[in-house]
Amino acid sequence: MYQVYIRSFADGNGGGVGDIAGMKSRLGYLRDLGVDAVWINPWYESPMLDGGYDVSNFREIDPLFGSTAEATEFIEAAHEHGIRVIADLVPNHTSAQHVWFQEALAAKPGDPARDRYVFHPGKGADGAEPPSDWESVFGGPAWTRLSDGDWYLHIFDGSQPDLNWEHPEVRADFEEILRFWLDRGIDGFRIDVAHGLVKDLTFPDTGGRTELLGTKHPVDHPFWDRDGVHEIIRTWRAILDQYDDRMMVAEAWVHRERLPLYLRPDEYHQSFNFDLVEAKWNAESFAEIISTSYKASSAIDAASTWVLSNHDVVRHSTRYGLPAETDVRRWLLEGPHEDLEAELGNVRARAAGLISLSLPGSSYLYQGDELGLPEVWDLPTDVLQDPVWERSEHKAKGRDGCRVPLPWEPTGPSLGYGPGEPWLPQPAQFAQLAASVQAADPTSMLLLYRQAIALRREHLIHTEQLEMIDLGPNVLAYQRGSITVIVNMSDKPVPVPRGNLLISSDPGQTGSQLAPDTAAWIGTQ
Ligand code: GLC
């Protein structure tokens, strides 16, 4: 599954922002890469205050990207290329520009027009304090007060009011939205903030507790991972099941023990597994994540998923070039930037690609992974657009560095991305990473990905079997059907197992030794 961050993929109609025409013109590239499906980040009408995750109309494509007719044509064209299309649905909140929120604003406190969102009087003598201590994911309080005194909830930016999922109209409208896109041929949905939606409407304080991952035991939280979400998902699944062969994947940042609940046979088909995004480069943690996730998925007969990067996290080629103890998000702004070993990160990213593509289930690529793009951590602060930058009061740089427009050609004002000036500047080093340059270089990351995807199709997709094997300290190794996968995460060369070398992340691989930070697939039958 290839994730297209539409704003930064290809700009077909000028204007500096990627669009449907651009995606359509690059379908041949995606087919040659060998992907089965694309997941497109939100393309709906939006003021774009959170990159389109602030939707003002779920039934219209934003004019920046094209039109609803063009979207339908794109879906057909992708199908002709053998590529399925997954849309991104954002049910936790709308844009403040959505007609429902505009109606709510025009109404008075207590008016039913406000019930589709989460409005509440404040605390304290004159209601001047927010109803609870809930914090926004982007920083600052999750409540904003209107001039009439009423407060509304936004778990993300103030321009993204949370919907009230107890309201029957909210439920009915999303059921229609699903049908609207299914009827236009969409193959499925990536559901944004799938662990949100349902809130504890008694608004207990959290005491600052927002984290669900990494806790020892699941926690009871007033706005994350509440049991009520499952009833909603079941109604959606029933709708999908009325169509032929459609799917839903959840973005659910929940405790490992709770994740299988989302994957029950009448709920999601898949849920992102973000453990590899958080993993440090060492064999023990990779092995632990791979075997635990695989066992958990097999136990409930669900497909595992593997994610190295996406539009919300620092690109892995940069993560792997930083010392293990680095807090990567803080490093973007605070450094020390001389800590970055970019070449090391790139070598490891090649190996990581071979890990992700060798595993059972679905491998999710983020656009530019296949080009080895690094995080553009040094974007000047005056071009930043992620709301995180302002809401954190300039303490966190946000996610723009992984969203820089793709380089397609080594020259031209936007490196082949489009005719206009791109919405974020591309760094000079993107020129040699351009897709056309890499397509002509047999040692490039792009050709490594193409070759690995082709080999995956030939040897690996027919079996879900995975067995961890021990090939020495700090060496990650497992058997997948007839293939042994070995990744040398130690600092010394290790022997390559006997067999037929199918692919190595080291383009100069010769002989019987595997260099540090290198992965290989060996045919053993
Ligand atoms: C998800 C998206 C992220 C967005 C947020 C709010 O986490 O991946 O990009 O900002 O939801 O919709």
PDB file of all heavy atoms in Angstrom, residues 3 5 39 41-42 50-54 88 90 92-93 137-138 156-157 160 190 192-193 195 251 253 310-312 386-387 399 403, ligand 1:
ATOM      1  N   GLN A   3       1.193   5.225   0.287  1.00  0.00           N
ATOM      2  CA  GLN A   3       0.492   6.403   0.785  1.00  0.00           C
ATOM      3  C   GLN A   3       0.847   7.627  -0.041  1.00  0.00           C
ATOM      4  O   GLN A   3       2.008   8.034  -0.100  1.00  0.00           O
ATOM      5  CB  GLN A   3       0.867   6.654   2.255  1.00  0.00           C
ATOM      6  CG  GLN A   3       0.179   7.901   2.793  1.00  0.00           C
ATOM      7  CD  GLN A   3       0.676   8.332   4.164  1.00  0.00           C
ATOM      8  OE1 GLN A   3       1.453   7.599   4.809  1.00  0.00           O
ATOM      9  NE2 GLN A   3       0.252   9.487   4.604  1.00  0.00           N
ATOM     10  N   TYR A   5       0.542  11.442  -0.189  1.00  0.00           N
ATOM     11  CA  TYR A   5       0.208  12.716   0.475  1.00  0.00           C
ATOM     12  C   TYR A   5      -0.048  13.695  -0.665  1.00  0.00           C
ATOM     13  O   TYR A   5       0.871  14.293  -1.219  1.00  0.00           O
ATOM     14  CB  TYR A   5       1.365  13.158   1.382  1.00  0.00           C
ATOM     15  CG  TYR A   5       0.979  14.296   2.288  1.00  0.00           C
ATOM     16  CD1 TYR A   5       0.084  14.086   3.347  1.00  0.00           C
ATOM     17  CD2 TYR A   5       1.460  15.579   2.091  1.00  0.00           C
ATOM     18  CE1 TYR A   5      -0.307  15.130   4.172  1.00  0.00           C
ATOM     19  CE2 TYR A   5       1.081  16.625   2.914  1.00  0.00           C
ATOM     20  CZ  TYR A   5       0.200  16.385   3.956  1.00  0.00           C
ATOM     21  OH  TYR A   5      -0.195  17.416   4.776  1.00  0.00           O
ATOM     22  N   TRP A  39      -3.269   4.814  -0.814  1.00  0.00           N
ATOM     23  CA  TRP A  39      -4.133   5.491   0.170  1.00  0.00           C
ATOM     24  C   TRP A  39      -3.830   6.972   0.000  1.00  0.00           C
ATOM     25  O   TRP A  39      -2.672   7.380   0.073  1.00  0.00           O
ATOM     26  CB  TRP A  39      -3.839   4.980   1.588  1.00  0.00           C
ATOM     27  CG  TRP A  39      -3.916   6.043   2.666  1.00  0.00           C
ATOM     28  CD1 TRP A  39      -4.817   7.068   2.763  1.00  0.00           C
ATOM     29  CD2 TRP A  39      -3.036   6.180   3.794  1.00  0.00           C
ATOM     30  NE1 TRP A  39      -4.546   7.828   3.872  1.00  0.00           N
ATOM     31  CE2 TRP A  39      -3.473   7.314   4.517  1.00  0.00           C
ATOM     32  CE3 TRP A  39      -1.939   5.460   4.263  1.00  0.00           C
ATOM     33  CZ2 TRP A  39      -2.839   7.744   5.680  1.00  0.00           C
ATOM     34  CZ3 TRP A  39      -1.315   5.884   5.426  1.00  0.00           C
ATOM     35  CH2 TRP A  39      -1.758   7.007   6.128  1.00  0.00           C
ATOM     36  N   ASN A  41      -4.260  10.816   1.188  1.00  0.00           N
ATOM     37  CA  ASN A  41      -4.627  11.676   2.328  1.00  0.00           C
ATOM     38  C   ASN A  41      -5.792  12.566   1.904  1.00  0.00           C
ATOM     39  O   ASN A  41      -6.049  12.715   0.710  1.00  0.00           O
ATOM     40  CB  ASN A  41      -3.411  12.492   2.772  1.00  0.00           C
ATOM     41  CG  ASN A  41      -2.390  11.626   3.503  1.00  0.00           C
ATOM     42  OD1 ASN A  41      -1.373  11.230   2.935  1.00  0.00           O
ATOM     43  ND2 ASN A  41      -2.680  11.283   4.724  1.00  0.00           N
ATOM     44  N   PRO A  42      -6.525  13.171   2.853  1.00  0.00           N
ATOM     45  CA  PRO A  42      -7.810  13.814   2.521  1.00  0.00           C
ATOM     46  C   PRO A  42      -7.748  14.769   1.334  1.00  0.00           C
ATOM     47  O   PRO A  42      -6.849  15.583   1.231  1.00  0.00           O
ATOM     48  CB  PRO A  42      -8.150  14.576   3.805  1.00  0.00           C
ATOM     49  CG  PRO A  42      -7.448  13.827   4.882  1.00  0.00           C
ATOM     50  CD  PRO A  42      -6.191  13.289   4.268  1.00  0.00           C
ATOM     51  N   ASP A  50      -5.159  22.157   8.571  1.00  0.00           N
ATOM     52  CA  ASP A  50      -4.380  20.994   9.025  1.00  0.00           C
ATOM     53  C   ASP A  50      -4.190  20.055   7.828  1.00  0.00           C
ATOM     54  O   ASP A  50      -4.509  18.867   7.884  1.00  0.00           O
ATOM     55  CB  ASP A  50      -5.102  20.289  10.192  1.00  0.00           C
ATOM     56  CG  ASP A  50      -4.303  19.079  10.699  1.00  0.00           C
ATOM     57  OD1 ASP A  50      -3.067  19.044  10.479  1.00  0.00           O
ATOM     58  OD2 ASP A  50      -4.907  18.169  11.304  1.00  0.00           O
ATOM     59  N   GLY A  51      -3.695  20.627   6.757  1.00  0.00           N
ATOM     60  CA  GLY A  51      -3.383  19.827   5.569  1.00  0.00           C
ATOM     61  C   GLY A  51      -4.559  19.030   5.021  1.00  0.00           C
ATOM     62  O   GLY A  51      -4.364  17.966   4.448  1.00  0.00           O
ATOM     63  N   GLY A  52      -5.792  19.508   5.228  1.00  0.00           N
ATOM     64  CA  GLY A  52      -6.955  18.809   4.683  1.00  0.00           C
ATOM     65  C   GLY A  52      -7.646  17.915   5.702  1.00  0.00           C
ATOM     66  O   GLY A  52      -8.711  17.351   5.417  1.00  0.00           O
ATOM     67  N   TYR A  53      -7.065  17.760   6.891  1.00  0.00           N
ATOM     68  CA  TYR A  53      -7.732  17.001   7.957  1.00  0.00           C
ATOM     69  C   TYR A  53      -8.755  17.880   8.680  1.00  0.00           C
ATOM     70  O   TYR A  53      -9.212  17.559   9.774  1.00  0.00           O
ATOM     71  CB  TYR A  53      -6.717  16.410   8.938  1.00  0.00           C
ATOM     72  CG  TYR A  53      -6.060  15.166   8.378  1.00  0.00           C
ATOM     73  CD1 TYR A  53      -4.847  15.222   7.720  1.00  0.00           C
ATOM     74  CD2 TYR A  53      -6.703  13.936   8.471  1.00  0.00           C
ATOM     75  CE1 TYR A  53      -4.269  14.087   7.174  1.00  0.00           C
ATOM     76  CE2 TYR A  53      -6.130  12.793   7.930  1.00  0.00           C
ATOM     77  CZ  TYR A  53      -4.917  12.876   7.284  1.00  0.00           C
ATOM     78  OH  TYR A  53      -4.362  11.740   6.743  1.00  0.00           O
ATOM     79  N   ASP A  54      -9.065  18.999   8.067  1.00  0.00           N
ATOM     80  CA  ASP A  54     -10.114  19.894   8.547  1.00  0.00           C
ATOM     81  C   ASP A  54     -11.102  20.010   7.392  1.00  0.00           C
ATOM     82  O   ASP A  54     -10.986  20.881   6.549  1.00  0.00           O
ATOM     83  CB  ASP A  54      -9.519  21.253   8.954  1.00  0.00           C
ATOM     84  CG  ASP A  54      -8.547  21.839   7.903  1.00  0.00           C
ATOM     85  OD1 ASP A  54      -7.827  21.068   7.226  1.00  0.00           O
ATOM     86  OD2 ASP A  54      -8.534  23.075   7.741  1.00  0.00           O
ATOM     87  N   ASP A  88      -9.246   8.697   2.578  1.00  0.00           N
ATOM     88  CA  ASP A  88      -9.002   8.964   3.996  1.00  0.00           C
ATOM     89  C   ASP A  88     -10.269   9.613   4.557  1.00  0.00           C
ATOM     90  O   ASP A  88     -10.712  10.642   4.041  1.00  0.00           O
ATOM     91  CB  ASP A  88      -7.812   9.930   4.091  1.00  0.00           C
ATOM     92  CG  ASP A  88      -7.096   9.893   5.425  1.00  0.00           C
ATOM     93  OD1 ASP A  88      -7.781   9.769   6.444  1.00  0.00           O
ATOM     94  OD2 ASP A  88      -5.855   9.999   5.425  1.00  0.00           O
ATOM     95  N   VAL A  90     -12.346  11.319   7.808  1.00  0.00           N
ATOM     96  CA  VAL A  90     -11.998  12.016   9.049  1.00  0.00           C
ATOM     97  C   VAL A  90     -13.261  12.196   9.902  1.00  0.00           C
ATOM     98  O   VAL A  90     -13.894  13.254   9.857  1.00  0.00           O
ATOM     99  CB  VAL A  90     -11.364  13.395   8.718  1.00  0.00           C
ATOM    100  CG1 VAL A  90     -10.755  14.033   9.949  1.00  0.00           C
ATOM    101  CG2 VAL A  90     -10.322  13.267   7.609  1.00  0.00           C
ATOM    102  N   ASN A  92     -13.685  12.142  13.321  1.00  0.00           N
ATOM    103  CA  ASN A  92     -13.631  12.659  14.688  1.00  0.00           C
ATOM    104  C   ASN A  92     -14.044  14.124  14.770  1.00  0.00           C
ATOM    105  O   ASN A  92     -14.597  14.569  15.761  1.00  0.00           O
ATOM    106  CB  ASN A  92     -12.214  12.501  15.250  1.00  0.00           C
ATOM    107  CG  ASN A  92     -12.114  12.979  16.684  1.00  0.00           C
ATOM    108  OD1 ASN A  92     -12.692  12.364  17.585  1.00  0.00           O
ATOM    109  ND2 ASN A  92     -11.442  14.097  16.904  1.00  0.00           N
ATOM    110  N   HIS A  93     -13.761  14.862  13.692  1.00  0.00           N
ATOM    111  CA  HIS A  93     -14.008  16.307  13.726  1.00  0.00           C
ATOM    112  C   HIS A  93     -14.290  16.808  12.313  1.00  0.00           C
ATOM    113  O   HIS A  93     -14.045  16.100  11.342  1.00  0.00           O
ATOM    114  CB  HIS A  93     -12.790  17.042  14.300  1.00  0.00           C
ATOM    115  CG  HIS A  93     -11.482  16.537  13.736  1.00  0.00           C
ATOM    116  ND1 HIS A  93     -10.716  15.612  14.396  1.00  0.00           N
ATOM    117  CD2 HIS A  93     -10.831  16.784  12.576  1.00  0.00           C
ATOM    118  CE1 HIS A  93      -9.635  15.328  13.675  1.00  0.00           C
ATOM    119  NE2 HIS A  93      -9.680  16.015  12.559  1.00  0.00           N
ATOM    120  N   VAL A 137      -4.007  17.553  21.119  1.00  0.00           N
ATOM    121  CA  VAL A 137      -2.848  16.799  20.624  1.00  0.00           C
ATOM    122  C   VAL A 137      -1.793  17.753  20.053  1.00  0.00           C
ATOM    123  O   VAL A 137      -0.603  17.473  20.083  1.00  0.00           O
ATOM    124  CB  VAL A 137      -3.297  15.802  19.524  1.00  0.00           C
ATOM    125  CG1 VAL A 137      -2.122  15.098  18.874  1.00  0.00           C
ATOM    126  CG2 VAL A 137      -4.281  14.791  20.084  1.00  0.00           C
ATOM    127  N   PHE A 138      -2.247  18.885  19.536  1.00  0.00           N
ATOM    128  CA  PHE A 138      -1.321  19.839  18.924  1.00  0.00           C
ATOM    129  C   PHE A 138      -0.779  20.857  19.936  1.00  0.00           C
ATOM    130  O   PHE A 138      -0.114  21.811  19.551  1.00  0.00           O
ATOM    131  CB  PHE A 138      -1.999  20.599  17.781  1.00  0.00           C
ATOM    132  CG  PHE A 138      -2.340  19.752  16.576  1.00  0.00           C
ATOM    133  CD1 PHE A 138      -3.298  20.179  15.668  1.00  0.00           C
ATOM    134  CD2 PHE A 138      -1.698  18.544  16.338  1.00  0.00           C
ATOM    135  CE1 PHE A 138      -3.605  19.418  14.540  1.00  0.00           C
ATOM    136  CE2 PHE A 138      -1.997  17.780  15.214  1.00  0.00           C
ATOM    137  CZ  PHE A 138      -2.961  18.215  14.315  1.00  0.00           C
ATOM    138  N   PHE A 156      -7.934  18.345  18.424  1.00  0.00           N
ATOM    139  CA  PHE A 156      -6.819  18.818  17.597  1.00  0.00           C
ATOM    140  C   PHE A 156      -6.856  20.347  17.586  1.00  0.00           C
ATOM    141  O   PHE A 156      -7.028  20.955  18.641  1.00  0.00           O
ATOM    142  CB  PHE A 156      -6.882  18.152  16.208  1.00  0.00           C
ATOM    143  CG  PHE A 156      -6.618  16.658  16.314  1.00  0.00           C
ATOM    144  CD1 PHE A 156      -7.647  15.744  16.543  1.00  0.00           C
ATOM    145  CD2 PHE A 156      -5.321  16.173  16.251  1.00  0.00           C
ATOM    146  CE1 PHE A 156      -7.385  14.388  16.692  1.00  0.00           C
ATOM    147  CE2 PHE A 156      -5.050  14.815  16.399  1.00  0.00           C
ATOM    148  CZ  PHE A 156      -6.083  13.932  16.622  1.00  0.00           C
ATOM    149  N   ASP A 157      -6.764  20.966  16.423  1.00  0.00           N
ATOM    150  CA  ASP A 157      -6.694  22.428  16.374  1.00  0.00           C
ATOM    151  C   ASP A 157      -8.057  23.056  16.677  1.00  0.00           C
ATOM    152  O   ASP A 157      -9.101  22.412  16.507  1.00  0.00           O
ATOM    153  CB  ASP A 157      -6.209  22.824  14.963  1.00  0.00           C
ATOM    154  CG  ASP A 157      -5.868  24.286  14.868  1.00  0.00           C
ATOM    155  OD1 ASP A 157      -5.137  24.787  15.738  1.00  0.00           O
ATOM    156  OD2 ASP A 157      -6.355  24.948  13.925  1.00  0.00           O
ATOM    157  N   GLN A 160     -10.771  22.625  14.246  1.00  0.00           N
ATOM    158  CA  GLN A 160     -11.258  21.251  14.017  1.00  0.00           C
ATOM    159  C   GLN A 160     -12.164  20.802  15.174  1.00  0.00           C
ATOM    160  O   GLN A 160     -11.784  19.957  15.981  1.00  0.00           O
ATOM    161  CB  GLN A 160     -10.060  20.294  13.912  1.00  0.00           C
ATOM    162  CG  GLN A 160      -9.184  20.541  12.691  1.00  0.00           C
ATOM    163  CD  GLN A 160      -7.828  19.866  12.792  1.00  0.00           C
ATOM    164  OE1 GLN A 160      -7.047  20.171  13.680  1.00  0.00           O
ATOM    165  NE2 GLN A 160      -7.535  18.939  11.896  1.00  0.00           N
ATOM    166  N   ARG A 190      -9.215   4.720   4.891  1.00  0.00           N
ATOM    167  CA  ARG A 190      -8.317   4.794   6.045  1.00  0.00           C
ATOM    168  C   ARG A 190      -9.054   5.705   7.019  1.00  0.00           C
ATOM    169  O   ARG A 190      -9.459   6.823   6.647  1.00  0.00           O
ATOM    170  CB  ARG A 190      -6.980   5.388   5.612  1.00  0.00           C
ATOM    171  CG  ARG A 190      -5.985   5.639   6.752  1.00  0.00           C
ATOM    172  CD  ARG A 190      -5.956   7.099   7.126  1.00  0.00           C
ATOM    173  NE  ARG A 190      -4.892   7.415   8.052  1.00  0.00           N
ATOM    174  CZ  ARG A 190      -4.827   8.550   8.749  1.00  0.00           C
ATOM    175  NH1 ARG A 190      -5.768   9.465   8.626  1.00  0.00           N
ATOM    176  NH2 ARG A 190      -3.828   8.778   9.569  1.00  0.00           N
ATOM    177  N   ASP A 192      -9.332   8.079   9.980  1.00  0.00           N
ATOM    178  CA  ASP A 192      -8.499   8.969  10.772  1.00  0.00           C
ATOM    179  C   ASP A 192      -8.931   8.945  12.241  1.00  0.00           C
ATOM    180  O   ASP A 192     -10.133   8.947  12.547  1.00  0.00           O
ATOM    181  CB  ASP A 192      -8.678  10.392  10.221  1.00  0.00           C
ATOM    182  CG  ASP A 192      -7.713  11.384  10.826  1.00  0.00           C
ATOM    183  OD1 ASP A 192      -6.499  11.197  10.682  1.00  0.00           O
ATOM    184  OD2 ASP A 192      -8.189  12.364  11.446  1.00  0.00           O
ATOM    185  N   VAL A 193      -7.970   8.933  13.144  1.00  0.00           N
ATOM    186  CA  VAL A 193      -8.227   8.989  14.581  1.00  0.00           C
ATOM    187  C   VAL A 193      -9.345   8.010  14.961  1.00  0.00           C
ATOM    188  O   VAL A 193     -10.321   8.373  15.633  1.00  0.00           O
ATOM    189  CB  VAL A 193      -8.568  10.422  15.055  1.00  0.00           C
ATOM    190  CG1 VAL A 193      -8.435  10.563  16.554  1.00  0.00           C
ATOM    191  CG2 VAL A 193      -7.657  11.449  14.403  1.00  0.00           C
ATOM    192  N   HIS A 195      -9.519   5.832  17.061  1.00  0.00           N
ATOM    193  CA  HIS A 195      -9.676   5.576  18.508  1.00  0.00           C
ATOM    194  C   HIS A 195     -10.286   6.791  19.204  1.00  0.00           C
ATOM    195  O   HIS A 195     -10.385   6.824  20.431  1.00  0.00           O
ATOM    196  CB  HIS A 195      -8.333   5.215  19.127  1.00  0.00           C
ATOM    197  CG  HIS A 195      -7.277   6.273  18.929  1.00  0.00           C
ATOM    198  ND1 HIS A 195      -7.011   6.829  17.697  1.00  0.00           N
ATOM    199  CD2 HIS A 195      -6.428   6.879  19.789  1.00  0.00           C
ATOM    200  CE1 HIS A 195      -6.042   7.731  17.825  1.00  0.00           C
ATOM    201  NE2 HIS A 195      -5.682   7.768  19.083  1.00  0.00           N
ATOM    202  N   GLU A 251      -6.593   4.063  11.856  1.00  0.00           N
ATOM    203  CA  GLU A 251      -5.469   4.740  12.499  1.00  0.00           C
ATOM    204  C   GLU A 251      -5.811   4.789  13.985  1.00  0.00           C
ATOM    205  O   GLU A 251      -6.506   5.685  14.443  1.00  0.00           O
ATOM    206  CB  GLU A 251      -5.294   6.168  11.957  1.00  0.00           C
ATOM    207  CG  GLU A 251      -4.046   6.822  12.529  1.00  0.00           C
ATOM    208  CD  GLU A 251      -4.137   8.324  12.789  1.00  0.00           C
ATOM    209  OE1 GLU A 251      -5.265   8.851  12.911  1.00  0.00           O
ATOM    210  OE2 GLU A 251      -3.094   8.961  12.892  1.00  0.00           O
ATOM    211  N   TRP A 253      -4.147   4.675  17.619  1.00  0.00           N
ATOM    212  CA  TRP A 253      -2.927   4.674  18.456  1.00  0.00           C
ATOM    213  C   TRP A 253      -3.331   4.145  19.834  1.00  0.00           C
ATOM    214  O   TRP A 253      -3.469   4.914  20.776  1.00  0.00           O
ATOM    215  CB  TRP A 253      -2.345   6.081  18.570  1.00  0.00           C
ATOM    216  CG  TRP A 253      -1.858   6.704  17.288  1.00  0.00           C
ATOM    217  CD1 TRP A 253      -2.626   7.331  16.348  1.00  0.00           C
ATOM    218  CD2 TRP A 253      -0.502   6.764  16.801  1.00  0.00           C
ATOM    219  NE1 TRP A 253      -1.815   7.777  15.308  1.00  0.00           N
ATOM    220  CE2 TRP A 253      -0.512   7.451  15.562  1.00  0.00           C
ATOM    221  CE3 TRP A 253       0.737   6.314  17.304  1.00  0.00           C
ATOM    222  CZ2 TRP A 253       0.646   7.694  14.819  1.00  0.00           C
ATOM    223  CZ3 TRP A 253       1.876   6.570  16.551  1.00  0.00           C
ATOM    224  CH2 TRP A 253       1.824   7.244  15.339  1.00  0.00           C
ATOM    225  N   ASN A 310       5.182   7.874   7.852  1.00  0.00           N
ATOM    226  CA  ASN A 310       3.963   8.425   7.258  1.00  0.00           C
ATOM    227  C   ASN A 310       4.044   9.947   7.347  1.00  0.00           C
ATOM    228  O   ASN A 310       5.100  10.482   7.709  1.00  0.00           O
ATOM    229  CB  ASN A 310       2.697   7.831   7.909  1.00  0.00           C
ATOM    230  CG  ASN A 310       2.579   8.172   9.380  1.00  0.00           C
ATOM    231  OD1 ASN A 310       3.018   9.244   9.815  1.00  0.00           O
ATOM    232  ND2 ASN A 310       2.002   7.286  10.172  1.00  0.00           N
ATOM    233  N   HIS A 311       2.935  10.613   7.034  1.00  0.00           N
ATOM    234  CA  HIS A 311       2.969  12.072   6.961  1.00  0.00           C
ATOM    235  C   HIS A 311       2.970  12.744   8.329  1.00  0.00           C
ATOM    236  O   HIS A 311       2.925  13.966   8.405  1.00  0.00           O
ATOM    237  CB  HIS A 311       1.753  12.546   6.152  1.00  0.00           C
ATOM    238  CG  HIS A 311       0.462  12.239   6.876  1.00  0.00           C
ATOM    239  ND1 HIS A 311       0.023  10.946   7.091  1.00  0.00           N
ATOM    240  CD2 HIS A 311      -0.447  13.041   7.477  1.00  0.00           C
ATOM    241  CE1 HIS A 311      -1.112  10.976   7.781  1.00  0.00           C
ATOM    242  NE2 HIS A 311      -1.409  12.240   8.019  1.00  0.00           N
ATOM    243  N   ASP A 312       2.971  11.967   9.395  1.00  0.00           N
ATOM    244  CA  ASP A 312       2.949  12.540  10.749  1.00  0.00           C
ATOM    245  C   ASP A 312       4.258  12.353  11.505  1.00  0.00           C
ATOM    246  O   ASP A 312       4.374  12.829  12.627  1.00  0.00           O
ATOM    247  CB  ASP A 312       1.833  11.870  11.580  1.00  0.00           C
ATOM    248  CG  ASP A 312       0.438  12.260  11.121  1.00  0.00           C
ATOM    249  OD1 ASP A 312       0.261  13.394  10.641  1.00  0.00           O
ATOM    250  OD2 ASP A 312      -0.480  11.421  11.252  1.00  0.00           O
ATOM    251  N   ASP A 386       2.297  23.472   9.409  1.00  0.00           N
ATOM    252  CA  ASP A 386       1.657  22.573  10.370  1.00  0.00           C
ATOM    253  C   ASP A 386       1.173  23.378  11.590  1.00  0.00           C
ATOM    254  O   ASP A 386       1.949  24.138  12.172  1.00  0.00           O
ATOM    255  CB  ASP A 386       2.693  21.525  10.812  1.00  0.00           C
ATOM    256  CG  ASP A 386       2.072  20.453  11.709  1.00  0.00           C
ATOM    257  OD1 ASP A 386       0.902  20.612  12.117  1.00  0.00           O
ATOM    258  OD2 ASP A 386       2.765  19.469  11.989  1.00  0.00           O
ATOM    259  N   PRO A 387      -0.113  23.212  11.971  1.00  0.00           N
ATOM    260  CA  PRO A 387      -0.618  23.965  13.129  1.00  0.00           C
ATOM    261  C   PRO A 387       0.177  23.708  14.423  1.00  0.00           C
ATOM    262  O   PRO A 387       0.134  24.516  15.350  1.00  0.00           O
ATOM    263  CB  PRO A 387      -2.075  23.501  13.276  1.00  0.00           C
ATOM    264  CG  PRO A 387      -2.219  22.283  12.426  1.00  0.00           C
ATOM    265  CD  PRO A 387      -1.159  22.374  11.363  1.00  0.00           C
ATOM    266  N   ARG A 399       5.259  18.787  11.428  1.00  0.00           N
ATOM    267  CA  ARG A 399       5.406  17.676  10.497  1.00  0.00           C
ATOM    268  C   ARG A 399       5.693  18.086   9.057  1.00  0.00           C
ATOM    269  O   ARG A 399       5.674  17.258   8.164  1.00  0.00           O
ATOM    270  CB  ARG A 399       4.123  16.834  10.572  1.00  0.00           C
ATOM    271  CG  ARG A 399       3.849  16.300  11.971  1.00  0.00           C
ATOM    272  CD  ARG A 399       2.399  15.885  12.150  1.00  0.00           C
ATOM    273  NE  ARG A 399       1.525  17.053  12.084  1.00  0.00           N
ATOM    274  CZ  ARG A 399       0.192  17.008  12.120  1.00  0.00           C
ATOM    275  NH1 ARG A 399      -0.413  15.831  12.217  1.00  0.00           N
ATOM    276  NH2 ARG A 399      -0.521  18.110  12.052  1.00  0.00           N
ATOM    277  N   ARG A 403       6.824  16.349   4.571  1.00  0.00           N
ATOM    278  CA  ARG A 403       5.757  16.610   3.586  1.00  0.00           C
ATOM    279  C   ARG A 403       6.246  17.452   2.412  1.00  0.00           C
ATOM    280  O   ARG A 403       5.436  18.010   1.666  1.00  0.00           O
ATOM    281  CB  ARG A 403       4.595  17.333   4.279  1.00  0.00           C
ATOM    282  CG  ARG A 403       3.993  16.530   5.413  1.00  0.00           C
ATOM    283  CD  ARG A 403       2.940  17.295   6.182  1.00  0.00           C
ATOM    284  NE  ARG A 403       2.301  16.452   7.186  1.00  0.00           N
ATOM    285  CZ  ARG A 403       1.354  16.857   8.015  1.00  0.00           C
ATOM    286  NH1 ARG A 403       0.947  18.119   7.980  1.00  0.00           N
ATOM    287  NH2 ARG A 403       0.817  16.019   8.884  1.00  0.00           N
TER     288      ARG A 403
HETATM  289  C1  GLC B   1      -4.367  12.052  12.154  1.00  0.00           C
HETATM  290  C2  GLC B   1      -3.661  12.479  10.894  1.00  0.00           C
HETATM  291  C3  GLC B   1      -2.977  13.783  11.142  1.00  0.00           C
HETATM  292  C4  GLC B   1      -4.017  14.832  11.524  1.00  0.00           C
HETATM  293  C5  GLC B   1      -4.855  14.344  12.708  1.00  0.00           C
HETATM  294  C6  GLC B   1      -6.085  15.193  12.898  1.00  0.00           C
HETATM  295  O1  GLC B   1      -3.494  11.743  13.171  1.00  0.00           O
HETATM  296  O2  GLC B   1      -2.804  11.482  10.455  1.00  0.00           O
HETATM  297  O3  GLC B   1      -2.218  14.221  10.044  1.00  0.00           O
HETATM  298  O4  GLC B   1      -3.391  16.031  11.848  1.00  0.00           O
HETATM  299  O5  GLC B   1      -5.295  13.030  12.534  1.00  0.00           O
HETATM  300  O6  GLC B   1      -7.038  14.917  11.925  1.00  0.00           O
END
